[in-house]
Amino acid sequence: WLKPFVLLRSKSQLRPRQLGLDGAMENTPEQWYKNLPILTRIGLTVIFGVTVLVQLEILNPMLIYLNWPLVINKLQVWRLLTSVFFFGKFSFQFLFQLYFFSSFSSKLENNEIFAQPGDYLFFLLCQILLLDVLSLVLAWPSGYPMLGPALVFAILYYWSRREPYASLNFFSFTIKGYQFPFALIFFQLLIGGNIWMDLLGLASGHIYYFLKEVVPAEYGYTMIKTPAFLVNFMSQYAPRGGGGGGGA
């Protein structure tokens, strides 16, 4: 799932950068990592950590793959969550996945729709469970073993719905945010890649978008609401003095 390098220009990137003591702009890897929103930072750390453990042959990836018969018959329920934390061993593909996750997850986590503590965590949990179910339908009876790329695409797709007119440079062409997921799928087709993970993520992201935003606006029903215990749990990690609204 090699993706072309994409430059994003949106209002979320117009914030002044943090200045160092000497007045110079800080742009170190450490500063970048610390400035990531908390859930994106945790996700990035877990993904990288799992990859290191698999690369060193300390962790057998078969233990974290999604396998519905093992989930149901052996009660190995952790597989429903762990299947999104492994993208394969270190490679260019892994780096692109990590770049897209850190970039678009940061922007989405800071989006105004996830201003309430716990909202983004609930979004991620919904996406993971949706991907588990959709993968079972498409790859009966076990499901797709690795769903990390699909989760990244679901995040990217929902961001494109939240910032549809953000401008991106894609192979020197300027496109809008709402066009970006489909441009990536078309690019995958051109290079002979597998688009099933992208389509799976698109479907999962769109189901959430439809239930979260379209149904309340068109029919007046609230279908998705963050549980109170998640709000209370994440409140202790919320930034002092404000919620979302900005980007990474």
Side-chain angles (χ1 to χ4, degrees):
W1 192 53
L2 292 178
K3 303 300 186 186
F5 184 72
V6 178
L7 296 176
L8 174 64
R9 302 191 308 272
S10 64
K11 292 180 180 179
S12 62
Q13 288 188 314
L14 299 180
R15 299 183 302 178
R17 293 186 179 179
Q18 184 175 358
L19 297 179
L21 294 178
D22 58 355
M25 288 187 176
E26 284 191 15
N27 193 25
T28 64
E30 180 183 5
Q31 193 62 48
W32 169 82
Y33 179 78
K34 288 181 177 180
N35 286 338
L36 290 174
I38 182 170
L39 293 177
T40 300
R41 187 165 68 246
I42 292 173
L44 189 68
T45 304
V46 172
I47 291 168
F48 187 82
V50 168
T51 307
V52 169
L53 293 176
V54 173
Q55 190 79 31
L56 296 177
E57 298 184 352
I58 297 174
L59 175 65
N60 186 347
M62 297 300 294
L63 295 176
I64 59 176
Y65 285 162
L66 177 63
N67 187 310
W68 273 101
L70 291 179
V71 171
I72 296 173
N73 299 325
K74 301 293 185 179
L75 297 181
Q76 297 181 5
V77 293
W78 68 82
R79 294 178 181 272
L80 297 176
L81 297 178
T82 57
S83 60
V84 303
F85 293 127
F86 184 58
F87 295 84
K89 293 187 176 182
F90 289 118
S91 62
F92 276 113
Q93 177 180 342
F94 172 80
L95 292 178
F96 275 107
Q97 295 281 6
L98 222 57
Y99 166 74
F100 272 77
F101 175 79
S102 61
S103 177
F104 289 96
S105 179
S106 295
K107 299 176 190 306
L108 192 56
E109 186 172 352
N110 281 330
N111 192 274
E112 60 186 5
I113 199 168
F114 296 123
Q116 180 179 242
D119 283 351
Y120 191 63
L121 176 58
F122 189 57
F123 163 79
L124 292 176
L125 293 175
C126 287
Q127 289 304 308
I128 293 171
L129 294 178
L130 277 172
L131 290 171
D132 289 334
V133 174
L134 291 175
S135 74
L136 176 63
V137 174
L138 295 177
W140 180 271
S142 298
Y144 288 110
M146 292 191 305
L147 295 174
L151 177 62
V152 172
F153 203 90
I155 291 170
L156 186 153
Y157 175 81
Y158 193 55
W159 168 85
S160 74
R161 285 293 187 170
R162 294 303 306 160
E163 296 191 38
Y165 299 109
S167 296
L168 303 99
N169 284 340
F170 184 81
F171 275 128
S172 76
F173 295 105
T174 299
I175 62 175
K176 298 299 183 183
Y178 70 90
Q179 299 170 320
F180 187 43
F182 305 100
L184 289 179
I185 292 175
F186 183 66
F187 175 78
Q188 278 288 87
L189 287 174
L190 288 180
I191 65 174
N194 190 324
I195 65 171
W196 281 109
M197 286 295 102
D198 294 353
L199 293 177
L200 192 62
L202 188 150
S204 176
H206 189 73
I207 290 173
Y208 183 91
Y209 167 74
F210 181 80
L211 295 178
K212 176 70 174 180
E213 301 189 39
V214 176
V215 170
E218 296 293 331
Y219 306 104
Y221 297 104
T222 300
M223 302 292 294
I224 296 179
K225 184 178 181 181
T226 305
F229 75 92
L230 284 182
V231 176
N232 295 333
F233 174 73
M234 290 302 298
S235 293
Q236 58 187 320
Y237 304 106
R240 294 286 185 263

